[in-house]
Amino acid sequence: MYEQIQQSVEFLKKVFHNRTPQVALVLGSGLGPLADELENRIAVPFGDIPHFCRSTAPDHVGQLVLGTLSGKTILCMQGRLHGYEGYTPADVSYPIPMLKALGAKAVILTNAAGGINTDFSAGDFMVIDDHINFTGKSPLTGINDDKVGTRFPDMCHVYSQQLRDLADEAAQACGISLHHGVYVGVNGPQYETAAEIRMFRVMGGDAVGMSTVFESIAASHCGLPVLAISMITNMAAGITGDSLSDEEVKQTANARGQLFRTLIRQIISMME
Ligand code: HPA
């Protein structure tokens, strides 16, 4: 795996003319346009990068974009891979140690999620303080590469306290209210049943989604500090009595996308 990462990195360093990203960003629903706002952009389709998989998810562009934002060099994954597309957890998380090897000092993961906590409303934002990996799978299954990380990595501090505090300061600076909570990662692609959501609430979940946990685990494994923020695009199954639809998720993601991008820009501007 280490050799594959080196090959991806060699390729990208050439394409990016040796510009080194300070922060990497994985753009979930509603955030994709942020990559278009970067200055001095260089974009590479996932499919061109050695050992990288293409994204098939609807509305996920599927390219890496390097550029500057708020005076910092940023590398955006415009679109990501999901387990429900048929990728293995290791495929999904492959970009993470690669982003670290490219020089990123932190990664910001973003996603759309269903709200389980009844204090939340559609359109709210939540900083992920911790997660429950309910996929039953791990991106670290198989032979461990000690050059990337240890065999049995600790998961007590997956989400950087320093970056979570910074997110609060940034939200306050732009007048955005921010929840904190536990993200339950599921496989999808079907939304949950109402009974599953009741179970997740009892287990301590505040939001549920089909991404992020594999990437967070991989980041923790390779020692890349993570900040993860969910946009609550809908209340989870059974909470309002309404059926769930991709339409609703997309509508909220679009309607609240601009505010989400404002928050992310502010966070990046305040990062060291
Ligand atoms: N469940 C799972 N994934 C999601 C949801 C949800 O309710 N909303 C957005 N992504």
Side-chain angles (χ1 to χ4, degrees):
M1 170 157 159
Y2 183 76
E3 270 72 46
Q4 293 190 345
I5 290 170
Q6 291 308 312
Q7 286 165 15
S8 302
V9 167
E10 284 312 307
F11 170 85
L12 287 170
K13 277 189 173 160
K14 271 190 216 129
V15 174
F16 294 149
H17 307 299
N18 284 319
R19 285 162 69 194
T20 304
Q22 290 158 278
V23 184
L25 253 168
V26 178
L27 303 175
S29 307
L31 273 176
L34 193 73
D36 303 326
E37 295 170 18
L38 300 186
E39 290 163 34
N40 301 315
R41 305 164 73 244
I42 302 176
V44 195
F46 289 166
D48 289 0
I49 306 167
H51 311 297
F52 222 83
C53 297
R54 264 165 251 259
S55 173
T56 67
D59 305 322
H60 283 256
V61 176
Q63 58 181 7
L64 273 189
V65 185
L66 183 92
T68 52
L69 187 73
S70 308
K72 299 209 168 54
T73 305
I74 306 296
L75 183 56
C76 291
M77 274 189 69
Q78 198 174 22
R80 60 144 66 85
L81 308 175
H82 302 82
Y84 62 71
E85 296 173 83
Y87 295 115
T88 67
D91 288 338
V92 172
S93 66
Y94 178 78
I96 301 296
M98 190 203 75
L99 295 170
K100 179 164 189 224
L102 269 171
K105 296 284 176 272
V107 62
I108 304 177
L109 304 173
T110 62
N111 61 47
I116 298 174
N117 187 324
T118 50
D119 292 339
F120 296 178
S121 305
D124 287 356
F125 303 113
M126 184 191 92
V127 171
I128 301 181
D129 285 335
D130 205 348
H131 73 228
I132 295 171
N133 175 9
F134 205 78
T135 64
K137 300 176 196 166
S138 168
L140 310 180
T141 298
I143 296 167
N144 186 63
D145 193 331
D146 293 332
K147 292 203 206 77
V148 178
T150 179
R151 172 74 287 188
F152 300 107
D154 175 53
M155 289 289 137
C156 288
H157 306 284
V158 174
Y159 301 93
S160 157
Q161 182 68 59
Q162 197 194 337
L163 293 176
R164 285 186 276 148
D165 291 344
L166 184 82
D168 286 331
E169 284 170 40
Q172 207 171 15
C174 40
I176 294 172
S177 72
L178 207 50
H179 299 292
H180 281 253
V182 172
Y183 176 91
V184 182
V186 294
N187 283 312
Q190 73 286 353
Y191 290 114
E192 300 68 39
T193 63
E196 285 165 348
I197 294 301
R198 285 195 299 275
M199 173 183 68
F200 291 155
R201 180 171 318 112
V202 171
M203 284 166 41
D206 295 294
V208 59
M210 304 174 196
S211 67
T212 305
V213 289
F214 296 150
E215 292 139 319
S216 296
I217 291 168
S220 197
H221 181 237
C222 73
L224 183 62
V226 189
L227 173 66
I229 306 183
S230 297
M231 183 201 285
I232 306 299
T233 49
N234 57 284
M235 291 311 288
I239 291 185
T240 63
D242 297 341
S243 297
L244 269 58
S245 75
D246 190 39
E247 224 21 69
E248 180 193 7
V249 168
K250 270 194 229 149
Q251 258 176 23
T252 314
N254 289 336
R256 300 289 282 176
Q258 200 173 349
L259 199 60
F260 203 8
R261 296 195 290 277
T262 300
L263 174 63
I264 298 296
R265 270 196 302 269
Q266 182 71 30
I267 290 171
I268 288 171
S269 75
M270 290 169 71
M271 284 172 102
E272 280 164 16

